Amino acid sequence: MTADAVETIAPDAAVEGKSSGSVPAARHETFTVDHHLAAPPSAVFEAFADTPVRRRWFKLPGRHVSYHHDFTVNGGETASSVFAVPGAAPERLAYASRYLDIRPGSRIVYAYTARVDDVPRWASLVTVELQAHLDGTQLRWTEQAAFLAPSAEPEHDFPHLRGATRLRLNGLAAALGQPQGSSTTPGRM
């Protein structure tokens, strides 16, 4: 440490997701979902890569939807919509990702940010791993999320994200022409 440097120790409250300042402390969560699909890894990989197929299972809720997908390393995906909330003003939803690593038939790594009304709510690093299984593919989805701005009910933010991921993977199975796959969640890491 140089003579001009100042070392700062975060108070315990910041570690627990509280902040003494006006900016809420980021809260970090990690989860893994294992999902079995009755299709070979090459077909599951194509459901991520092929934009028309991906659109069948990756969607934001709401109306006035825009979407762009570039499945290349350093490419990404953007989506936006307006979601009607009963008894409240509509929410403007936005999603933007960047692909960091793509290994055909075996792995996809990407980072994304989710925004509500132009406020970044969370940012995540996602690793999708595909392993051949006797009767299809074992997909492992690991997501490391940093919740940046809590919702009105912050205790629901993490379960909402984890549940939405399971629903999305059920949509992936449907896009592959299958009944819902089976998911297990080994839990938080």
Side-chain angles (χ1 to χ4, degrees), residues 9-30:
I9 307 282
D12 290 341
V15 173
E16 295 175 12
K18 300 173 187 167
S19 176
S20 59
S22 61
V23 175
R27 191 177 88 241
H28 297 88
E29 299 280 358
T30 298

Side-chain angles (χ1 to χ4, degrees), residues 11-186:
D12 290 341
V15 173
E16 295 175 12
K18 300 173 187 167
S19 176
S20 59
S22 61
V23 175
R27 191 177 88 241
H28 297 88
E29 299 280 358
T30 298
F31 67 94
T32 297
V33 177
D34 289 318
H35 197 80
H36 183 266
L37 296 157
S42 59
V44 176
F45 182 84
E46 273 305 304
F48 279 85
D50 184 273
T51 300
V53 175
R54 182 151 171 86
R55 287 295 294 138
R56 293 199 321 249
W57 66 273
F58 177 85
K59 299 178 183 182
L60 291 180
R63 300 180 9 199
H64 309 292
V65 175
S66 70
Y67 182 77
H68 175 75
H69 187 220
D70 174 14
F71 191 73
T72 59
V73 172
N74 292 321
E77 187 171 35
T78 58
S80 64
S81 69
V82 177
F83 181 66
V85 179
E91 293 180 332
R92 293 180 322 281
L93 307 178
Y95 168 94
S97 72
R98 176 160 311 273
Y99 292 107
L100 305 172
D101 184 48
I102 298 173
R103 304 293 172 170
S106 65
R107 184 176 65 212
I108 302 162
V109 179
Y110 65 96
Y112 77 91
T113 304
R115 295 177 172 269
V116 177
D117 294 330
D118 299 320
V119 175
R121 292 283 304 285
W122 72 87
S124 284
L125 175 66
V126 176
T127 303
V128 178
E129 299 168 289
L130 308 173
Q131 294 289 321
H133 197 267
L134 292 176
D135 57 349
T137 300
Q138 188 64 34
L139 179 150
R140 173 165 276 199
W141 179 291
T142 302
E143 185 158 349
Q144 300 163 292
F147 291 92
L148 307 172
S151 69
E153 297 176 317
E155 67 278 5
H156 293 219
D157 292 346
F158 179 63
H160 171 81
L161 175 59
R162 194 174 50 208
T165 299
R166 284 193 194 104
L167 289 173
R168 190 165 286 142
L169 293 175
N170 287 340
L172 170 60
L176 291 166
Q178 307 171 14
Q180 291 182 4
S182 59
S183 290
T184 60
T185 305

